Amino acid sequence: MMAKPRLSQGLPELVEALRDAAAPVSGETLAGGLGLSRAAVWKRMQRLKALGYAIEGSPRRGYRLLAAPDKLLPAEVLQGLAARYFKGPVHHYETLPSTNDLAKELGGQEAPEGTVVVAESQTRGRGRLGRDWSSPPGVGLYVSLLLRPKLPPEELPQITLTAAVAAVKAVRKVSGLAAGIKWPNDLLWQGKKLGGILTEMETEADCIRHLVVGLGVNVNNRDFPPDLAATATSLALAAGGPVSRVRLLQAFLEGFEVLYERFLAREFAGILKEWKEYAVTLGQWVTVRQGLKEISGLAVEVAPDGALLLQIRPGEIVRVTSGELAP
Ligand code: BTN
């Protein structure tokens, strides 16, 4: 007996077929085009409606797509995505504890490089240094990308800096804001935090088994919890209007794949040069907090391995590999 196709199978193609059509499309035409039965097409229409797609019509008159939901659904993310490798599968959830946790789990199950996990909200979103990442529903981008570079774990900071360059470029492209990077990978606009990256890996002997790049961006938030209100902002607040989360994710995947290829081709020096062009802290007197310890100095350089070099007094340079720059 032939295996029944899963209900999620063919959804992006169905949305694309409806989107491309100038007039209502019959169930028969859709079924023929997608290699499904008419009953299977009908079931998928119900599924799309449940996901929030406004679809008019009936199996007899044909179907017409009136509106797509403002969600990071696979059919939306994959539509027009100009990526060659970072193009899913896209796992979308209304809510997850943390997209990084699920992506790590999928990494352990041999999911392919380029697997994307995205959620409309997170109940236990995690930031760097053991912090929480506020993840209210429908307004932010909470995404994790699975990578499988055959590299030693020491190269993780460089991959994170590479992801930060991709993220800041995507933010600039989609919102038009002159966003910058605060070492190592905070996305900033006028001193306030727009987003950040949490990279986590599994290792095996002296090699990365898989790694997860988790990106969180405040996109359409209109306000923030009291503890964040003074230090955080969103693309919508900064740009003065809503920004498409789908376009932002697409721009990140498209841009990151190009930079990641350059990184694998051992071209990190060029990527670091770009990182420095976006860095807002180089050349400034800064304080790095590492737990209870603080180090202050002039941020003179970022080393080829991603460490921040602080000149703490004339002739004395300190390498900083972890911690957070005080605002
Ligand atoms: C930071 O502290 O600046 C990093 C924040 C990273 C948040 C993202 S949201 C998607 C992914 N899932 C998580 O739990 N964290 C990352």
Side-chain angles (χ1 to χ4, degrees):
M1 202 172 84
M2 231 169 74
K4 258 174 131 182
R6 284 175 47 223
L7 192 52
S8 58
Q9 209 176 312
L11 285 188
E13 292 80 2
L14 196 51
V15 173
E16 209 174 319
L18 290 173
R19 213 173 244 142
D20 287 349
V25 198
S26 72
E28 200 176 337
T29 309
L30 290 167
L34 299 173
L36 294 168
S37 68
R38 284 184 64 177
V41 167
W42 186 84
K43 271 194 196 150
R44 280 162 182 72
M45 287 298 171
Q46 306 315 307
R47 175 82 189 118
L48 288 177
K49 284 180 188 170
L51 287 170
Y53 285 89
I55 295 168
E56 187 188 67
S58 70
R60 217 154 27 86
R61 285 197 310 274
Y63 298 99
R64 201 157 68 97
L65 178 65
L66 302 179
D70 176 24
K71 293 205 172 176
L72 293 149
L73 293 163
E76 301 303 306
V77 175
L78 297 172
Q79 152 86 21
L81 176 68
R84 280 184 300 156
Y85 314 110
F86 292 175
K87 55 175 187 195
V90 176
H91 298 264
H92 171 266
Y93 290 82
E94 272 309 310
T95 188
L96 275 178
S98 154
T99 55
N100 264 31
D101 290 349
L102 181 60
K104 280 197 286 182
E105 208 179 304
L106 292 171
Q109 296 166 6
E110 310 309 324
E113 180 160 79
T115 293
V116 173
V117 178
V118 67
E120 298 294 327
S121 72
Q122 299 182 116
T123 51
R124 263 180 276 139
R126 293 183 289 108
R128 285 178 62 238
L129 310 171
R131 299 220 177 93
D132 293 339
W133 186 257
S134 168
S135 312
V139 290
L141 176 63
Y142 320 117
V143 61
S144 300
L145 176 68
L146 179 67
L147 300 178
R148 298 187 178 281
K150 290 187 180 53
L151 292 172
E154 299 79 66
E155 302 211 14
L156 188 74
Q158 302 182 351
I159 299 180
T160 310
L161 295 186
T162 304
V165 174
V168 79
K169 284 172 118 175
V171 161
R172 283 173 167 240
K173 182 173 175 184
V174 172
S175 70
L177 294 167
I181 306 174
K182 183 174 95 170
W183 183 89
N185 43 45
D186 280 2
L187 304 177
L188 285 204
W189 186 74
Q190 295 194 346
K192 288 192 167 185
K193 185 152 168 169
L194 286 167
I197 293 171
L198 176 67
T199 316
E200 298 178 293
M201 67 177 162
E202 280 293 321
T203 56
E204 191 174 58
D206 286 338
C207 206
I208 295 175
R209 207 170 96 76
H210 59 259
L211 76 83
V212 166
V213 176
L215 169 67
V217 184
N218 307 322
V219 183
N220 290 321
N221 314 51
R222 306 301 320 178
D223 44 35
F224 288 93
D227 56 323
L228 298 177
T231 53
T233 191
S234 72
L235 300 185
L237 289 173
V243 169
S244 162
R245 291 179 305 148
V246 168
R247 275 303 303 135
L248 179 63
L249 175 52
Q250 290 176 329
F252 174 67
L253 294 172
E254 289 164 3
F256 188 24
E257 114 172 345
V258 175
L259 287 168
Y260 182 64
E261 270 196 308
R262 278 173 58 195
F263 174 76
L264 293 179
R266 314 321 275 159
E267 289 174 24
F268 182 66
I271 297 168
L272 186 58
K273 193 162 162 271
E274 275 195 58
W275 185 95
K276 287 179 194 167
E277 282 162 20
Y278 297 116
V280 291
T281 30
L282 284 184
Q284 289 186 15
W285 187 265
V286 297
T287 298
V288 181
R289 291 205 187 107
Q290 295 174 321
L292 295 176
K293 201 175 133 198
E294 285 193 350
I295 315 166
S296 295
L298 184 66
V300 281
E301 190 50 291
V302 169
D305 62 358
L308 180 67
L309 303 185
L310 288 188
Q311 181 169 15
I312 55 166
R313 57 182 72 86
E316 193 174 346
I317 301 276
V318 169
R319 272 172 54 85
V320 180
T321 52
S322 69
E324 190 187 38
L325 293 195

